[in-house]
Amino acid sequence: MSLLHHWEHEFDKVKVRLHGLVTRLEMSWKKLVNDLEPEEFQAIVKLLQRGHDQARHVIDHGDLPDDEPAVPWELAHGLSILKIGNVTPLPQKEEELPTRVLKDGTLLGCRKWELLDLLWSEALLKWIENLRHHAPFATNPALVKMDNDVVLAIAGDWGTGPFDSHAPAVAVANQMQLAQADFTIHLGDVYYAGTHSQEDVDMAGWPQGKHGSFTLNSNHEMYSGAHGYFKELAARFPVQQSTSYFALYNDDWLVVGLDSAYASDAMNLYMDGTLNTQQIEWMKTLPKRKKLMVLSHHQGFDISGHHKTALYQPVCDALGREPDYWYWGHLHNGICYAPQGGLHARCAGHGAIPYGTTSELNGHARVLWSETQLAGDEAYPERVLNGYVKVALKGEAIVETFYGEDGSVRWSSSS
């Protein structure tokens, strides 16, 4: 099948799925409108308008102004799908908008997983359906003793499932299996909206660690109110004790996995990391070790490494100090930052979503490495390698190795 016929076939499948999605979205919107206060209704419509306008501006001008905060792309098609106002629909087919790589590496286009993929609207649907209906927050976190010589395999934003024969998630999982890790850790994001069926299908191929596996909550899990996420914990991540935060420790290291999504602002689609009181109080009770590692979905720095996010200081305050290492996802990139103070920060959000070279990081003094190697993917020629990070702890020592989906070493702290 030619690429053109492939994408025509994919678009036909999307249309069938989208028809049911739109019907449900319209019904859910009407139900929510009846429950909303007038100011809440106006705030949501304003958000949808900003999402539409942002997409239009990026299509026409190449990127957002530097001083304008981005709006979640899940909102982009919302106005036209819900028939609010009188807007011209955004592009929906590849021929209307050939793929472009934005400066942050995201792919602007209409194909699967690109920014204007119509099926991101499922995240909008589930957000509307669950705006007032979140799963109960469990407070029985696991505290697991590790060996002093231990291997962790970490990947973020991996939950796409095997969306085609060349799906990066499958290749990344195969490479993670080769690491023979003691623990594997998913930094969150199961697409499109962390529903129970998506969690069940898309996480089916997650590589299990020899002593257990963990998965973090995220903005996409929260679109479904985290109902699917908490069910998945019980089904596939038993060591986690059905709780969205946890800690691992040995004689030298404390590794803390955080839920940065549950308390995040729903009206910003859970895009900014936040801690709730239960976690903060628990973090203060954790055993102290010489070395401290934090794992979260949301990032502690902006993509450039120049500005700390609102999540950074609460994490440091709750733990009593700055971490030595912090791994996050959320941004669909592989990035190693230069040390800042005592912190070594890493973005490992490149587990599966197709993305391109992050040109805004080229030559950046605060970035040791970011992925630029093309994956050789005929269906996504702009795509660079997806991958994961292997972290080997031996006593106080740490060796980090970022692997590509092809098994190549992309960056290592040992070299």
Side-chain angles (χ1 to χ4, degrees):
M1 181 186 293
S2 71
L3 272 183
L4 176 59
H5 287 151
H6 168 79
W7 288 117
E8 286 177 344
H9 178 63
E10 286 298 307
F11 186 70
D12 287 340
K13 288 197 298 184
V14 167
K15 282 195 297 185
V16 172
R17 184 173 171 185
L18 190 67
H19 176 73
L21 185 63
V22 168
T23 302
R24 287 174 56 208
L25 188 52
E26 290 172 343
M27 292 173 61
S28 296
W29 175 246
K30 289 175 182 176
K31 182 178 184 300
L32 182 66
V33 166
N34 291 330
D35 295 337
L36 289 174
E37 298 296 330
E39 60 271 19
E40 291 179 303
F41 172 78
Q42 291 301 326
I44 292 176
V45 171
K46 186 176 180 180
L47 262 178
L48 293 170
Q49 184 69 58
R50 284 179 59 202
H52 178 91
D53 293 347
Q54 167 187 281
R56 188 76 264 166
H57 187 281
V58 173
I59 291 168
D60 293 342
H61 302 286
D63 256 305
L64 281 175
D66 291 336
D67 59 349
E68 183 176 330
V71 179
W73 282 86
E74 289 83 356
L75 299 172
H77 290 291
L79 282 183
S80 55
I81 288 177
L82 293 172
K83 301 179 177 66
I84 298 173
N86 187 25
V87 296
T88 302
L90 297 167
Q92 299 179 3
K93 297 182 181 180
E94 185 180 5
E95 55 266 31
E96 296 174 329
L97 181 67
T99 300
R100 306 179 204 165
V101 181
L102 301 184
K103 65 181 181 180
D104 67 354
T106 53
L107 300 183
L108 176 63
C110 303
R111 298 178 300 173
K112 193 170 182 65
W113 308 123
E114 295 180 338
L115 290 178
L116 292 180
D117 176 357
L118 280 164
L119 290 177
W120 287 120
S121 300
E122 183 169 6
L124 173 60
L125 164 67
K126 301 310 292 186
W127 175 68
I128 288 172
E129 288 180 341
N130 293 280
L131 196 57
R132 300 182 186 278
H133 306 288
H134 293 170
F137 186 78
T139 55
N140 182 39
L143 181 60
V144 178
K145 193 173 191 306
M146 307 182 292
D147 293 336
N148 290 333
D149 188 349
V150 66
V151 173
L152 312 176
I154 303 169
D157 306 70
W158 180 86
T160 63
F163 61 91
D164 216 329
S165 58
H166 66 284
V170 175
V172 169
N174 290 339
Q175 292 302 324
M176 291 178 72
Q177 290 281 18
L178 297 176
Q180 296 186 310
D182 296 287
F183 297 94
T184 59
I185 302 162
H186 182 228
L187 298 177
D189 265 5
V190 175
Y191 305 102
Y192 291 89
T195 64
H196 179 50
S197 62
Q198 287 166 359
E199 295 276 348
D200 190 47
V201 172
D202 292 353
M203 293 300 289
W206 179 255
Q208 295 293 311
K210 288 185 286 187
H211 301 303
S213 296
F214 298 86
T215 187
L216 295 179
N217 195 10
S218 75
N219 55 307
H220 281 268
E221 272 80 349
M222 286 306 299
Y223 296 148
S224 286
H227 296 284
Y229 169 75
F230 281 109
K231 287 180 180 177
E232 186 66 12
L233 290 184
R236 192 168 278 127
F237 298 89
V239 177
Q240 204 162 325
Q241 298 181 180
S242 296
T243 305
S244 56
Y245 55 106
F246 61 89
L248 311 171
Y249 72 99
N250 59 22
D251 292 341
D252 302 288
W253 286 86
L254 174 65
V255 179
V256 184
L258 297 174
D259 182 342
S260 58
Y262 193 91
S264 184
D265 182 5
M267 290 302 291
N268 192 36
L269 276 73
Y270 314 100
M271 292 296 287
D272 299 321
T274 308
L275 298 179
N276 56 9
T277 302
Q278 295 97 321
Q279 282 185 97
I280 290 171
E281 294 305 313
W282 168 79
M283 291 163 73
K284 292 176 181 178
T285 70
L286 289 170
K288 305 298 182 186
R289 292 295 185 266
K290 187 169 183 181
K291 293 291 188 177
L292 176 60
M293 179 187 299
V294 168
L295 311 167
S296 63
H297 179 70
H298 294 88
Q299 69 269 36
F301 294 156
D302 71 343
I303 192 171
S304 72
H306 266 91
H307 304 289
K308 296 171 183 175
T309 67
L311 180 63
Y312 180 91
Q313 200 57 50
V315 168
C316 295
D317 290 345
L319 292 170
R321 69 178 182 92
E322 187 177 58
D324 298 291
Y325 289 82
W326 190 343
Y327 298 86
W328 57 69
H330 197 42
L331 309 174
H332 300 150
N333 308 85
I335 307 168
C336 293
Y337 294 95
Q340 296 193 38
L343 174 62
H344 301 73
R346 316 294 188 224
C347 179
H350 64 322
I353 291 284
Y355 73 110
T357 298
T358 310
S359 59
E360 67 178 300
L361 300 182
N362 291 348
H364 205 297
R366 296 198 176 186
V367 174
L368 298 175
W369 168 83
S370 65
E371 186 57 82
T372 59
Q373 178 63 50
L374 289 175
D377 187 338
E378 185 183 18
Y380 293 85
E382 306 86 1
R383 182 171 76 82
V384 298
L385 289 169
N386 291 85
Y388 82 101
V389 57
K390 176 182 176 182
V391 178
L393 307 178
K394 190 168 187 177
E396 293 182 19
I398 180 172
V399 175
E400 308 165 90
T401 309
F402 275 76
Y403 286 96
E405 65 195 75
D406 60 355
S408 62
V409 174
R410 306 304 308 140
W411 182 87
S412 177
S413 60
S414 65
S415 57

